[in-house]
Amino acid sequence: MQTHEAAKDTTDPGIDPSQVPQRTLYTGAKMPAIGLGTFGSDHVPAGDVAAAVKSAAHYGYRHFDCASVYGNEAEIGVALAAVMAGGVKREELWITSKLWNDKHDPGDVIASCEKSLADLRLDYLDMYLVHWPFPNFHPPGCDVTARSKDAKPYIHAGYMKTWAAMEELAKRGLVRHIGTSNMTVPKLKLVLRDAKIRPAVNEMELHPHFQQPELFEFVRAQGIEPIGYSPLGSPHRPERDRTPEDTSPTEDPVILRIAARHQTHPAVICLKWAVQRGQTPIPFSANKRNILSNLVGVVEDPLTAGEMTEIAGLDRNCRLIKGQVFLWKEEQGWEALWDMGGEITPA
Ligand SMILES: NC(=O)c1ccc[n+]([C@@H]2O[C@H](COP(=O)([O-])OP(=O)(O)OC[C@H]3O[C@@H](n4cnc5c(N)ncnc54)[C@H](OP(=O)(O)O)[C@@H]3O)[C@@H](O)[C@H]2O)c1
């Protein structure tokens, strides 16, 4: 097998996609167990993210995590068209998009999905997620103290109306699977009780300092695949998502030691751990060398059982993407969004 030791060469042909680990969803569909994130964190221009998508496809990525709110689906659509013109078949790609919070009204769901499809130049999505469970609008890039006058808590009956429209998308063939994002165990229990089409994935923050063991085990026990966002601890996340208590998994001394042993970057260790643990990380990068290293890292040179155990011991319950802008009352702390007491936070 060709070795990609440290993945130094950006002219590298990359990895054969058939070598990339796959997850099998409850429908039997196969989804690559690593994807490229496409949120430019408010500072990477859309054209650069589209260029990253093209590079990633060249290196063997087939899974791309998109969203209308990232403001770059039209540019990514041009990149995907070029990838397919270059010989990659549509059915070899796994494309996710997400419904933004101001489009939860059932009457908006189909139009919103159709807009993403048009922008991405696709006639179906592999996965469509409800991005956040709060029907709430805040302008992209807004300050952490911003509150919407229309902000609303999780209202289950409302979510299920949105979900019914998501189910309709699946029935019409516009999307192959539907899923959730930023959910909690109590919210998911209600959705699973009432859904006609069960979520196939739940997208959630997951990295060595935020392992969410309870939610992770819950979704897997339900046959829902966990997709791990910010798998590197989102080192370049927007200012609004930073607090003094935040820690960085890629600076953890244990991760640094394991990285030195494997002669790779700590970020790559976070991704090896993620894939071997059983989640699907979706790291963002606009840097060709990192894009390649991240894919190579999950295909070659696995962590030992001992290293996996060491990393399991690093959890600090350190949530980085706290979602403050979605709060619906002035005096609330971000914890209210995450049902910390095991019950849905009352309205
Ligand atoms: N569902 C949701 O609500 C939600 C929320 C947040 C994120 N997401 C998704 O998850 C994706 C990933 O999360 P994220 O963008 O917050 O953070 P992340 O993937 O944890 O971190 C991305 C950052 O890590 C750097 N990086 C990547 N590979 C590296 C490597 N090998 N060595 C050193 N640095 C490396 C990148 O910089 P370079 O560009 O310089 O490589 C980039 O700035 C997003 O893009 C988005 O698709 C979803």
Side-chain angles (χ1 to χ4, degrees):
M1 184 170 72
Q2 183 186 5
T3 178
H4 291 84
E5 186 247 331
K8 293 187 187 80
D9 182 1
T10 54
T11 61
D12 193 306
I15 291 284
D16 177 346
S18 70
Q19 301 298 307
V20 175
Q22 305 284 311
R23 306 290 181 213
T24 305
L25 305 187
Y26 73 71
T27 58
K30 303 268 191 215
M31 174 182 77
I34 180 170
L36 185 79
T38 66
F39 176 42
S41 287
D42 300 346
H43 62 84
V44 181
D48 292 3
V49 177
V53 166
K54 262 169 109 171
S55 300
H58 167 76
Y59 289 142
Y61 286 75
R62 294 292 179 263
H63 176 170
F64 298 94
D65 181 78
C66 307
S68 57
V69 77
Y70 300 160
N72 53 23
E73 289 193 324
E75 290 79 0
I76 290 173
V78 175
L80 291 175
V83 166
M84 288 189 271
V88 177
K89 296 194 184 78
R90 171 66 187 92
E91 55 272 27
E92 294 168 17
L93 294 170
W94 185 275
I95 313 292
T96 294
S97 183
K98 311 187 191 86
L99 179 75
W100 190 235
N101 309 331
D102 59 341
K103 304 290 183 199
H104 279 210
D105 190 291
D108 290 337
V109 173
I110 290 179
S112 192
C113 180
E114 284 174 341
K115 169 84 166 79
S116 284
L117 284 169
D119 283 349
L120 290 165
R121 303 185 180 207
L122 301 174
D123 52 18
Y124 70 91
L125 292 168
D126 298 277
M127 180 67 68
Y128 199 49
L129 308 180
V130 181
H131 205 146
W132 287 82
F134 308 105
N136 183 343
F137 179 73
H138 73 277
C142 77
D143 181 75
V144 72
T145 56
R147 297 285 178 271
S148 161
K149 63 178 174 30
D150 304 318
K152 290 188 185 68
Y154 180 79
I155 298 168
H156 181 62
Y159 191 88
M160 291 317 297
K161 284 187 186 152
T162 308
W163 192 256
M166 298 284 285
E167 292 172 333
E168 180 62 25
L169 289 174
K171 281 184 208 142
R172 290 192 194 182
L174 295 181
V175 307
R176 297 269 161 101
H177 301 85
I178 53 178
T180 54
S181 177
N182 294 303
M183 292 292 268
T184 61
V185 171
K187 290 185 183 103
L188 271 173
K189 279 185 178 163
L190 292 183
V191 171
L192 289 169
R193 183 193 68 189
D194 295 339
K196 292 198 180 70
I197 300 178
R198 292 161 67 84
V201 305
N202 182 57
E203 195 163 307
M204 54 200 276
E205 181 179 334
L206 285 173
H207 47 77
H209 283 180
F210 193 58
Q211 301 188 15
Q212 302 214 62
E214 188 195 354
L215 181 57
F216 177 78
E217 295 303 343
F218 176 81
V219 297
R220 296 220 309 171
Q222 296 293 333
I224 299 171
E225 286 296 322
I227 308 277
Y229 75 65
S230 303
L232 314 176
S234 200
H236 303 134
R237 65 190 176 284
E239 230 14 76
R240 66 172 181 273
D241 289 325
R242 294 176 189 270
T243 65
E245 302 76 45
D246 294 351
T247 61
S248 166
T250 51
E251 291 168 29
D252 188 293
V254 173
I255 301 281
L256 293 176
R257 184 160 38 77
I258 297 173
R261 201 183 293 147
H262 287 264
Q263 298 186 311
T264 189
H265 191 280
V268 176
I269 300 300
C270 293
L271 298 174
K272 288 180 191 291
W273 168 78
V275 171
Q276 288 178 235
R277 184 191 190 211
Q279 63 228 31
T280 295
I282 44 170
F284 174 79
S285 178
N287 174 308
K288 281 186 180 181
R289 181 176 156 147
N290 291 344
I291 291 169
L292 176 56
S293 301
N294 293 347
L295 186 65
V296 171
V298 303
V299 172
E300 299 179 355
D301 188 25
L303 300 178
T304 64
E307 289 165 341
M308 289 297 292
T309 307
E310 273 189 281
I311 299 176
L314 299 181
D315 193 9
R316 296 184 182 200
N317 195 23
C318 180
R319 188 187 289 281
L320 299 173
I321 308 303
K322 302 175 183 69
Q324 296 93 329
V325 293
F326 303 117
L327 289 168
W328 62 93
K329 286 181 185 166
E330 279 300 326
E331 69 279 11
Q332 278 174 320
W334 59 265
E335 292 83 353
L337 298 167
W338 303 103
D339 306 335
M340 308 283 271
E343 303 284 332
I344 296 177
T345 303

